[in-house]
Amino acid sequence: MKKLMNQPDQYVDQMLEGIVAAHPELKRIAGTQVIVRAHPKAKVALVSGGGSGHEPAHAGYVGEGMLDAAVSGSVFTSPTPDQVLSAIRAVDQGQGVLLVIKNYTGDVMNFEMAADLASMEGIAIEKVIVADDVAVENSTYTVGQRGIAGTVFVHKIAGAAAEAGMDLATVKRIAEKVIANVHSMGMALSPCTVPASGKPSFVLGEDEVEIGIGIHGEPGTHRENLRPADEIVDTLLDRILAHSGVVAGDQVAVMLNGLGATPQSELYIAYRRVAERLGAHNIAVHKALVGEYMTSLEMAGFSISLLKLDDELMSLLDAPADTPAYRQR
């Protein structure tokens, strides 16, 4: 294992210290692994998070037009309910809090427990669960589809709704609309190594790839020999389109997301094929995001997320945002 770190047990703490040192518009709640806006706004607040190792998710999306707080657990481990509750308390401005939860058993359980505790304290709270991964129905860590990179679209669009002053019920409705219309699938060329374990999370042969991988290295649909990039994109995109309900004439947003160790050049090679295939289906790409949005440490590979847009979602997707990992004017 070769990693730029000091002690494995300080990995997350020192990462969070580095984030707030680099971005003074953010602050860390003392004694927690919670990052919040340094200058909160009176509005509905959005809280998300999960295990570390997926950076820039989730702390990278704290800021104007997106999240108000992000809770970081240990690497690939859900944050505890008390950490989530600390985030809720810190960002509640009296207009309610929406929790955006990826569909992993630990995240769902711990965020829901924190929501119950916050509700008992009189905080208006709602939650949504993102399950955008079309690869598998149930997996090592989930009941139902997993929540992966499509979650970033929920952060962006629901965050814009909250920033515009919409009430809690409306922000939740919009988040649920995004969830219903975003579909994703990924693949891996190589595994990653969790600092505390010191060994790869799975093993692939020299010429093998994993299709349908989860963001923690969970198994996908199958392993196969490495093929040309266009063929791999077609495998993922065909399954996404089959689940998405997107048809000719629709407008979409696309996220081509690197998992941590894939060169930008290769991501653009993959996106080229996505654009080509969508164009052939007369599906218009309103916005394309190509880069690292939700990683898996140093895993090599990528995922595709396809979001079907209507006028409401398009307007909110195009609204301003200013966060360490997502800026739009």
Side-chain angles (χ1 to χ4, degrees):
M1 178 175 67
K2 290 183 178 179
K3 288 187 178 290
L4 289 173
M5 64 178 187
N6 296 304
Q7 301 81 20
D9 63 349
Q10 294 295 308
Y11 190 91
V12 174
D13 278 338
Q14 293 184 352
M15 174 191 71
L16 296 176
E17 289 171 9
I19 289 172
V20 296
H23 301 285
E25 69 274 21
L26 305 180
K27 69 177 184 180
R28 182 180 180 182
I29 300 174
T32 76
Q33 295 181 173
V34 177
I35 300 293
V36 300
R37 300 190 195 189
H39 305 290
K41 181 178 178 180
K43 65 176 190 65
V44 171
L46 265 66
V47 175
S48 191
S52 298
H54 305 301
E55 287 69 32
H58 298 81
Y61 302 120
V62 175
E64 177 191 345
M66 295 188 77
L67 299 179
D68 295 273
V71 196
S72 298
S74 299
V75 175
F76 294 173
T77 303
S78 174
T80 59
D82 63 302
Q83 294 274 327
V84 180
L85 183 58
S86 294
I88 295 168
R89 288 170 174 161
V91 300
D92 176 43
Q93 299 291 316
Q95 299 184 44
V97 177
L98 179 68
L99 302 182
V100 180
I101 310 165
K102 297 189 305 303
N103 189 31
Y104 288 96
T105 302
D107 285 3
V108 172
M109 179 177 66
N110 291 346
F111 274 76
E112 288 187 340
M113 190 178 300
D116 290 342
L117 294 170
S119 182
M120 291 169 61
E121 295 180 5
I123 298 173
I125 192 137
E126 294 286 356
K127 59 185 183 293
V128 295
I129 298 174
V130 187
D132 55 311
D133 185 1
V134 302
V136 293
E137 180 60 33
N138 297 295
S139 71
T140 311
Y141 301 107
T142 61
V143 176
Q145 294 180 177
R146 302 174 290 210
I148 56 173
T151 307
V152 178
F153 281 130
V154 184
H155 295 164
K156 174 63 189 73
I157 292 173
E163 204 77 38
M166 298 180 191
D167 64 19
L168 182 58
T170 303
V171 175
K172 180 182 180 182
R173 175 188 64 78
I174 289 168
E176 288 178 331
K177 186 196 281 192
V178 180
I179 290 166
N181 285 282
V182 66
H183 300 83
S184 306
M185 187 169 171
M187 61 79 63
L189 293 160
S190 69
C192 60
T193 299
V194 175
S197 73
K199 59 183 180 180
S201 53
F202 58 94
V203 177
L204 285 173
E206 282 293 316
D207 295 322
E208 282 187 321
V209 299
E210 181 88 22
I211 301 296
I213 196 79
I215 55 173
H216 311 92
E218 310 97 305
T221 56
H222 64 283
R223 289 184 179 181
E224 60 180 42
N225 289 333
L226 179 62
R227 295 179 287 146
D230 285 0
E231 294 180 21
I232 294 173
V233 168
D234 289 348
T235 296
L236 304 184
L237 192 57
D238 286 347
R239 194 173 183 97
I240 292 168
L241 288 170
H243 282 75
S244 69
V246 173
V247 297
D250 284 339
Q251 295 198 69
V252 299
V254 181
M255 179 182 294
L256 200 298
N257 171 62
L259 293 179
T262 305
Q264 193 82 5
S265 54
E266 294 178 21
L267 297 180
Y268 278 116
I269 288 169
Y271 180 74
R272 164 197 160 276
R273 180 60 171 176
V274 172
E276 183 179 79
R277 287 286 313 280
L278 293 178
H281 284 82
N282 194 30
I283 297 166
V285 178
H286 175 73
K287 182 179 289 294
L289 301 173
V290 181
E292 292 183 342
Y293 293 90
M294 185 173 289
T295 65
S296 186
L297 293 171
E298 78 282 19
M299 186 183 293
F302 70 95
S303 63
I304 302 169
S305 296
L306 190 70
L307 171 62
K308 181 178 178 179
L309 296 170
D310 63 10
D311 289 344
E312 180 178 50
L313 297 185
M314 196 179 304
S315 175
L316 293 167
L317 180 62
D318 290 344
D322 188 358
T323 79
Y326 194 114
R327 288 187 170 89
Q328 180 169 289
R329 288 294 175 192

